[in-house]
Amino acid sequence: MNYFNASTASFAVSAFIVVCCAAAVLPAAAARSAASSSLSIIHLSDLHADPYFGTSQAFGASCKETSTPPGGLPGCDSSYALVQSTLADVAAVVQSEVRSGREALFVYTGDFLRHDMKRLPDNSRMSVATDVFSRIVADMASANLRGTASVPGARCHAVIGLHGTPASLRRRTVDSSNVRRNYHSGVSSEEGLAAAAIDSVGNEDFLPDYGFDVKTDINSTGTTLHNLTQTLQHHGFLSAAEAVQMNGCGYYSRDITLRATELTIRVVVLNTVLWSTELTPATDKKDPCHQFDFFTSQLQSASALGFQVIVLGHIPPCKHYWHFHFVDQYSSILQDYSDVVIAQLFGHEHRAGFGAMGGDASSCSSFPPMFIAGGITRKDMSNPQYSILRLDEVSDGDDELTAAVTAAATNWGAAAVHRRETGTRIRRRKQPGAPSLATSDVATRYLAADATQLSWAWGNQSLSDVLSLGPGQLSNCALLQAGNAFLADTSDAFWPYYQYHEGYVLSDASGSGSSAENSGPANQCDPKCQKHIACSTIAFTKEQVEGCH
């Protein structure tokens, strides 16, 4: 069933009213009660804005003519017109969703800058990067994240999490009473927005690409990380404390308390470039910038306070993207706090997708599901798209989502799932009277086939539809089962996911677009392509990657 249907397909894309806080829009019949916790996350990634689009210095051979359509051609990075169209579409969706009573969170998982910045003159790269940061963040800020004169009856949340310098995070024990004193509420207004905005840093946001020296660049004022941090703080996207933390090594956290039930969600923002195989210069440090210490301390204090956690980063831990020993450390921490983390959100792939860690039925329930947003860039021939995740309240009683996922676990047939999970989630410590949240579905917005029109539409199917799971069944174990099925699939079952993955419009190199549902898979994704996509959903450790690929 498609909850994200045609009733939401004709929004006017006018002013950037609420660009930095977003949510999915549902038909009224599908919306949950405003008295329940219901959070919609709009997940945008990989804008890759090219200020030279349509000129001889543009990235991509097909993008150098003034006649290049604003939506770009396959191989192009994004024009400013496409970036602004994306933000306007987000704004229009937000207005309708916030009015429907859902709370909202906008996350951007990195890569503001175009590809191949090294081809620009040495003396201009930093100024170009700073200009791109300033222009895009200013456009986002004009959307009025701080929540004035927007949607009556809503509230704006800006609760700031515990922060510390990298040195102070070394093997420290968290005193939960002290932690609580470090939290403070932000703006709250009856004329504001039920929203907040959170940004992470991507590999292309460094100069050079993936360039961060863990010995000399920490807290440096001469890096693109510093310039981005300052820009985000100037426009109100980071508090002073968050800016200090992010400027150190690119990671920080924020807490958001949902107004309906006072449930607090902590978003832990990681700089995954530190764990990348492409980090320049390479490092032999076991914990670059003490990010694993930071991650562990954030989960430890969240557990002590009864918070739930969403992990945010740019590069996902698949396809040899991370060093395998870092994948192992990250996985171990997730397993230690499997009762705390409810979702992982990444970008970088330029295509929408999911990931399921654990490898088999005996351990899959020890991990939260992973969701990957598509990109706005067309560099890798995919179509511009972004994701909308819906997280809804889950009780320990007879809840519709509880029943759905309990059935899924039964079908999976794993005793470990029943041992570790109850209903839709692993049992979590929570605040008295507060519910838990679980991802009920994921939808996409994509750019329509005609790149000259900059028209956006809902994907024909949500992720639950694509995987034939139904709303509420997006547990890590169910996703693992789906990924394994892709490996063995020789029928058309893989094709709906491939449409979702590519952004519903399949383009050839000339830029001619066709609706994905009207195209056959034979000329788009052969068995080798299908195996590559399937492996990227389920293979993370060295053994899994080598065994799958």
Side-chain angles (χ1 to χ4, degrees):
M1 61 191 75
N2 180 14
Y3 289 120
F4 302 86
N5 65 16
S7 68
T8 63
S10 60
F11 292 113
V13 286
S14 54
F16 299 155
I17 299 174
V18 283
V19 172
C20 292
C21 38
V25 180
L26 294 167
R32 296 174 67 86
S33 168
S36 302
S37 287
S38 57
L39 176 66
S40 295
I41 302 177
I42 184 166
H43 183 187
L44 182 65
S45 195
D46 294 86
L47 285 169
H48 288 290
D50 187 357
Y52 296 103
F53 183 91
T55 75
S56 61
Q57 294 190 71
F59 174 82
S62 61
C63 321
K64 298 180 183 298
E65 303 296 328
T66 57
S67 59
T68 306
L73 297 172
C76 292
D77 271 336
S78 303
S79 67
Y80 276 128
L82 176 57
V83 171
Q84 291 172 341
S85 172
T86 303
L87 299 180
D89 188 71
V90 168
V93 172
V94 171
Q95 277 195 81
S96 181
E97 177 59 14
V98 172
R99 287 192 177 111
S100 77
R102 295 181 64 86
E103 300 192 54
L105 171 65
F106 168 71
V107 299
Y108 181 67
T109 48
D111 274 359
F112 287 89
L113 302 180
R114 58 166 270 178
H115 292 89
D116 220 8
M117 288 284 287
K118 66 179 180 290
R119 291 188 177 273
L120 301 180
D122 289 348
N123 60 359
S124 69
R125 291 173 198 162
M126 185 63 75
S127 62
V128 169
T130 302
D131 287 346
V132 171
F133 294 151
S134 296
R135 180 165 181 173
I136 295 176
V137 175
D139 283 345
M140 289 180 171
S142 70
N144 211 356
L145 173 66
R146 290 170 295 279
T148 57
S150 247
V151 181
R155 292 167 57 198
C156 179
H157 300 284
V159 182
I160 308 305
L162 173 69
H163 304 285
T165 63
S168 70
L169 292 170
R170 299 177 187 175
R171 308 295 181 193
R172 66 188 173 89
T173 302
V174 176
D175 178 348
S176 61
S177 62
N178 182 60
V179 169
R180 183 169 293 279
R181 289 196 296 271
N182 280 280
Y183 288 85
H184 61 276
S185 297
V187 178
S188 180
S189 168
E190 293 305 315
E191 298 297 326
L193 299 171
I198 298 178
D199 298 89
S200 68
V201 64
N203 55 283
E204 294 283 352
D205 295 328
F206 293 96
L207 291 179
D209 186 14
Y210 293 95
F212 187 85
D213 191 327
V214 298
K215 296 180 179 178
T216 63
D217 287 348
I218 298 174
N219 293 314
S220 173
T221 59
T223 64
T224 51
L225 176 60
H226 173 76
N227 292 345
L228 175 58
T229 300
Q230 294 299 301
T231 301
L232 291 169
Q233 182 183 4
H234 174 73
H235 289 285
F237 287 84
L238 293 175
S239 69
E242 288 173 321
V244 169
Q245 177 73 68
M246 185 177 182
N247 188 59
C249 284
Y251 54 77
Y252 67 103
S253 71
R254 181 179 300 168
D255 294 342
I256 299 167
T257 301
L258 304 184
R259 60 186 167 89
T261 58
E262 299 301 313
L263 175 66
T264 298
I265 302 295
R266 173 171 295 176
V267 182
V268 179
V269 182
L270 300 175
N271 177 8
T272 52
V273 175
L274 296 173
W275 300 331
S276 169
T277 57
E278 302 294 327
L279 178 67
T280 304
T283 179
D284 59 359
K285 291 182 178 294
K286 294 182 179 179
D287 186 6
C289 280
H290 303 283
Q291 184 168 223
F292 282 120
D293 279 349
F294 168 80
F295 187 34
T296 301
S297 72
Q298 292 297 304
L299 298 186
Q300 182 181 355
S301 61
S303 178
L305 293 168
F307 296 170
Q308 294 183 297
V309 172
I310 294 171
V311 178
L312 195 71
H314 179 66
I315 305 171
C318 59
K319 292 184 179 178
H320 300 277
Y321 288 151
W322 295 12
H323 289 287
F324 287 123
H325 62 279
F326 290 147
V327 174
D328 292 341
Q329 285 180 262
Y330 175 76
S331 299
S332 178
I333 294 170
L334 284 181
Q335 286 183 295
D336 287 344
Y337 292 93
S338 60
D339 59 337
V340 176
V341 183
I342 59 175
Q344 309 169 72
L345 306 182
F346 296 100
H348 189 66
E349 289 270 81
H350 302 169
R351 287 168 167 82
F354 67 87
M357 305 181 78
D360 55 44
S362 66
S363 58
C364 63
S365 60
S366 297
F367 296 92
M370 179 188 302
F371 303 105
I372 299 172
I376 304 304
T377 179
R378 306 189 71 173
K379 181 239 180 193
D380 292 323
M381 312 293 283
S382 58
N383 193 49
Q385 60 181 308
Y386 62 90
S387 298
I388 300 94
L389 290 79
R390 297 187 59 249
L391 283 76
D392 287 298
E393 179 179 330
V394 175
S395 69
D396 290 328
D398 293 327
D399 182 89
E400 60 188 30
L401 299 181
T402 303
V405 179
T406 299
T410 301
N411 292 336
W412 179 246
V417 174
H418 295 290
R419 183 173 66 251
R420 292 295 303 274
E421 291 190 1
T422 299
T424 60
R425 61 179 179 85
I426 301 169
R427 287 187 178 274
R428 294 181 172 86
R429 297 177 62 182
K430 58 185 181 180
Q431 297 146 305
S436 296
L437 293 183
T439 304
S440 57
D441 217 344
V442 184
T444 58
R445 290 282 287 174
Y446 71 95
L447 191 69
D450 186 350
T452 64
Q453 298 300 312
L454 296 178
S455 175
W456 292 80
W458 287 107
N460 289 345
Q461 293 181 305
S462 68
L463 184 58
S464 289
D465 297 329
V466 165
L467 301 180
S468 300
L469 291 173
Q473 297 186 21
L474 297 179
S475 69
N476 189 65
C477 289
L479 294 177
L480 180 64
Q481 186 179 28
N484 279 317
F486 292 161
L487 278 178
D489 178 38
T490 56
S491 67
D492 291 335
F494 172 75
W495 183 233
Y497 179 72
Y498 184 66
Q499 297 176 57
Y500 174 93
H501 185 63
E502 294 291 320
Y504 286 96
V505 175
L506 305 179
S507 301
D508 59 32
S510 68
S512 299
S514 61
S515 177
E517 60 268 24
N518 296 323
S519 304
N523 296 325
Q524 300 292 342
C525 190
D526 61 17
K528 183 178 179 180
C529 161
Q530 180 171 331
K531 183 177 182 180
H532 178 79
I533 293 173
C535 287
S536 71
T537 68
I538 61 174
F540 299 91
T541 67
K542 181 178 182 180
E543 294 74 17
Q544 291 167 357
V545 170
E546 291 179 348
C548 195
H549 292 279

